[in-house]
Amino acid sequence: TGHYSIPDNVTTIIGGAFRFCSSLTSINIPNSVTSIGDDAFYRCSGLTSITIPNSVSSIGEWAFYGCSGLTSITIPNSVTSIGDYAFYDCSGLTSITIPNSVTSIGKYAFKDCTGLTSLAIPNSVTSIEERSFENCKIKKLYCDCSVNPFLYPDYLKELTIGDNLTIVYGYFRASFLTKIVLGKNVTHIMPDAFKNSELEEFTITGEEPPYLYSNVFGSQNLSKATLYVPESKVEYYQTTE
């Protein structure tokens, strides 16, 4: 009960090791641990904090399922995969850090994390399962990867595209975006990309105006929206179709 320290020589937290330990409030994981197994902390609802050491390379399926007491978690930059259902129903989670080592986010990995309102997805991510963020109320997104995060469009209002992306696809066409910031290397915006937006601010950080395909902004009234561009390129933008 309460706090528990895992001995220094342990390398694996086996599947189901702390399953249903609802009285566990905190745990010390030594940097000898390389993997957190399936169901390892399944429904440890009393767990309020956990530090995952940078020796861990994988977080198993259902690993933190139902850990509703967790409010924030930092995944170290040694982790390459987040398993299916890993943080499913962590309803108290308001902050999550996904490092630039993670390449895959499993199905339902963050399903029903209803307290999560902002999210950053790094460029290293090449695979996101379709329902990874189901029922998450993500309002602000920083997206630096070229795969669809499948976020609920009703909640997403502010979008920042990272500097590693050159093409903006139509992944957010159903969202009612009010603020958009484009990374400095965006060259193309695909058809209908922001057609349902309700734009107030649109910021382009690159010196070259991106090429717009058809109907990027749909039929929205842009008369009250503000366009921000690099100060040294204002005239260039004004004369570019």
Side-chain angles (χ1 to χ4, degrees):
T1 61
H3 176 77
Y4 181 77
S5 291
I6 296 173
D8 288 344
N9 59 347
V10 171
T11 59
T12 302
I13 300 175
I14 63 169
F18 296 92
R19 187 180 173 92
F20 290 116
C21 290
S22 57
S23 57
L24 184 69
T25 56
S26 63
I27 189 162
N28 179 58
I29 302 175
N31 59 14
S32 56
V33 172
T34 58
S35 67
I36 297 175
D38 298 349
D39 302 354
F41 296 96
Y42 186 101
R43 285 207 177 279
C44 289
S45 55
L47 197 62
T48 56
S49 67
I50 189 165
T51 300
I52 300 174
N54 60 11
S55 53
V56 173
S57 60
S58 63
I59 297 174
E61 298 180 7
W62 304 92
F64 294 95
Y65 169 76
C67 291
S68 54
L70 281 178
T71 56
S72 67
I73 192 159
T74 300
I75 298 171
N77 60 11
S78 52
V79 172
T80 58
S81 64
I82 298 172
D84 298 346
Y85 308 93
F87 295 95
Y88 186 153
D89 199 24
C90 289
S91 55
L93 201 63
T94 57
S95 172
I96 182 88
T97 301
I98 301 174
N100 204 40
S101 55
V102 171
T103 59
S104 64
I105 299 174
K107 63 184 179 184
Y108 301 106
F110 295 96
K111 176 176 164 59
D112 292 347
C113 290
T114 51
L116 201 59
T117 58
S118 64
L119 177 67
I121 304 176
N123 184 247
S124 58
V125 175
T126 56
S127 173
I128 300 176
E129 294 288 343
E130 189 166 344
R131 295 186 174 183
S132 297
F133 297 98
E134 187 170 278
N135 293 340
C136 291
K137 300 177 181 179
I138 306 296
K139 179 184 177 182
K140 298 175 67 174
L141 173 68
Y142 172 85
C143 186
D144 202 21
C145 75
S146 57
V147 291
N148 194 340
F150 300 106
L151 298 183
Y152 270 45
D154 292 353
Y155 299 107
L156 190 61
K157 298 295 182 185
E158 300 180 24
L159 171 68
T160 299
I161 299 293
D163 288 341
N164 283 295
L165 295 184
T166 57
I167 300 173
V168 179
Y169 293 99
Y171 300 151
F172 311 103
R173 65 183 60 181
S175 298
F176 305 105
L177 294 166
T178 58
K179 295 181 181 181
I180 298 171
V181 178
L182 298 184
K184 63 184 179 183
N185 293 310
V186 171
T187 58
H188 293 76
I189 303 177
M190 300 306 283
D192 304 330
F194 305 123
K195 71 173 186 177
N196 280 315
S197 293
E198 299 171 345
L199 275 179
E200 297 171 5
E201 296 179 12
F202 192 81
T203 302
I204 304 175
T205 59
E207 296 192 347
E208 283 292 324
Y211 178 82
L212 307 186
Y213 284 88
S214 62
N215 205 41
V216 164
F217 297 106
S219 58
Q220 64 187 294
N221 181 0
L222 294 171
S223 63
K224 294 183 179 179
T226 303
L227 172 65
Y228 295 93
V229 300
E231 188 174 6
S232 61
K233 297 290 181 177
V234 170
E235 187 176 342
Y236 181 34
Y237 270 85
Q238 285 174 337
T239 57
T240 302
E241 185 180 351

